[in-house]
Amino acid sequence: MRRERFIAGNWKMNKGVSESLEFLDKFSVLLEQGEDIPDAVSVAIFPQAVNIVPMADHIRSRGVNILLGIQNVHWKPSGAFTGENSIPCAIEAGAKLALVGHSERRHIFREDDLWVSSKYLACLEQGVEPLLCVGETEEERNRGLTEDVIERQVSAVFSHDPGIMAEQERILIAYEPVWAIGTGLNATPRDAGECCAFIRELLSGLGGPSLADRSLISYGGSVKSSNSEDYLEQEEIDGLLIGGASLDPDEFYRIVCDAF
Ligand code: PGA
């Protein structure tokens, strides 16, 4: 049986409140005119943290089936961490998901594997579902290190405490090669599918085949409506994490429809 589909938009540092609500209005009209999102497809948006409360209110009042996530969290629930987001506060605001280890956090903000793993654990302990992002840089790919990097990033989160895996219904991971993010360059669907298959093997080794089989592994990196179907056709790719193309409601809707 096909696993559930997971389609998520990462809005990064784009859109204020009014633009975000306008997007939701347009997106819900498209859904009303077309097909509603089936239960087997989860659609999520990661807006800027300041937009979560108004968007959550809007989603509730329009009855749209979209989950909201936060782009970055701190591992402590509260304290003197100027500029960081607390998980309990994100949940209160309406976030159901949190991005952890996105390549922009790893590379621009220098988050290392230890930080990523602390944030991931904190998400589980404090009650928001983490979406772990992994992927190699162009240099690492050219040096043939893609699988080593993925393995290191996945193991950093899961290998020191097998209990983390046992407690989870499923694991959400996005394979996002750094060189494909925001560049217009794509991993071929086949390469992306092979990396997702490799991630599932790692999960199987760490947490057992049944957890690996329930887990959802997405591809991200310059996905658009013109290539989304090619990725979703790959057996091992369960979903997509979309940056630039998710900012336009028509384009995002077209990609979401490819998952139906
Ligand atoms: P992109 O971003 O689709 O603009 O390449 C993907 C991401 O950063 O998650």
Side-chain angles (χ1 to χ4, degrees):
M1 213 176 69
R2 248 234 84 84
R3 279 179 289 271
E4 194 187 303
R5 295 292 205 181
F6 180 82
I7 308 291
N10 172 13
W11 283 0
K12 311 191 181 188
M13 205 172 69
N14 294 294
K15 289 195 194 291
V17 175
S18 51
E19 269 187 291
S20 304
L21 300 186
E22 215 176 283
F23 175 105
L24 287 178
D25 280 335
K26 287 193 181 151
F27 191 74
S28 12
V29 168
L30 291 167
L31 287 175
E32 278 156 26
Q33 288 169 349
E35 282 177 77
D36 207 358
I37 302 170
D39 287 347
V41 180
S42 294
V43 177
I45 293 177
F46 293 84
Q48 297 195 72
V50 289
N51 294 336
I52 293 180
V53 169
M55 285 181 77
D57 286 346
H58 211 66
I59 284 171
R60 257 192 306 274
S61 68
R62 301 270 325 215
V64 205
N65 199 3
I66 295 181
L67 299 166
L68 291 175
I70 186 149
Q71 296 175 14
N72 178 41
V73 291
H74 194 273
W75 54 87
K76 293 276 188 193
S78 62
F81 301 103
T82 304
E84 289 293 297
N85 297 308
S86 133
I87 297 171
C89 297
I91 294 171
E92 189 186 347
K96 302 272 187 258
L97 298 154
L99 281 183
V100 177
H102 187 276
S103 76
E104 283 148 21
R105 301 295 317 172
R106 290 181 192 262
H107 295 282
I108 305 173
F109 300 100
R110 312 223 175 249
E111 291 189 6
D112 60 17
D113 286 336
L114 188 62
W115 278 48
V116 172
S117 135
S118 308
K119 289 180 178 203
Y120 192 94
L121 273 179
C123 286
L124 296 183
E125 282 164 10
Q126 296 171 40
V128 76
E129 188 171 19
L131 166 53
L132 175 68
C133 304
V134 299
E136 81 288 0
T137 62
E138 186 175 17
E139 196 214 330
E140 288 161 342
R141 164 156 286 226
N142 292 340
R143 287 170 54 210
L145 297 175
T146 299
E147 291 196 347
D148 293 348
V149 172
I150 294 175
E151 184 163 2
R152 194 201 74 226
Q153 292 176 340
V154 169
S155 308
V157 172
F158 300 112
S159 65
H160 56 279
D161 182 0
I164 299 173
M165 302 197 86
E167 282 160 27
Q168 290 192 76
E169 184 46 41
R170 64 178 189 185
I171 288 171
L172 298 179
I173 296 198
Y175 167 60
E176 296 206 301
V178 180
W179 50 272
I181 297 179
T183 57
L185 299 172
N186 305 92
T188 63
R190 201 162 148 223
D191 279 356
E194 278 171 10
C195 286
C196 291
F198 177 66
I199 292 171
R200 202 176 306 279
E201 263 170 48
L202 291 173
L203 292 181
S204 177
L206 290 161
S210 124
L211 175 63
D213 195 48
R214 290 194 307 269
S215 294
L216 301 181
I217 305 176
S218 301
Y219 167 75
S222 299
V223 173
K224 321 180 236 332
S225 63
S226 55
N227 59 23
S228 48
E229 206 174 350
D230 301 337
Y231 291 107
L232 291 170
E233 270 170 6
Q234 300 290 315
E235 161 125 27
E236 286 299 328
I237 302 183
D238 304 314
L240 299 167
L241 180 57
I242 308 136
S246 70
L247 294 169
D248 174 40
D250 293 296
E251 179 68 354
F252 190 57
Y253 175 73
R254 281 192 287 271
I255 297 173
V256 166
C257 287
D258 280 341
F260 291 3

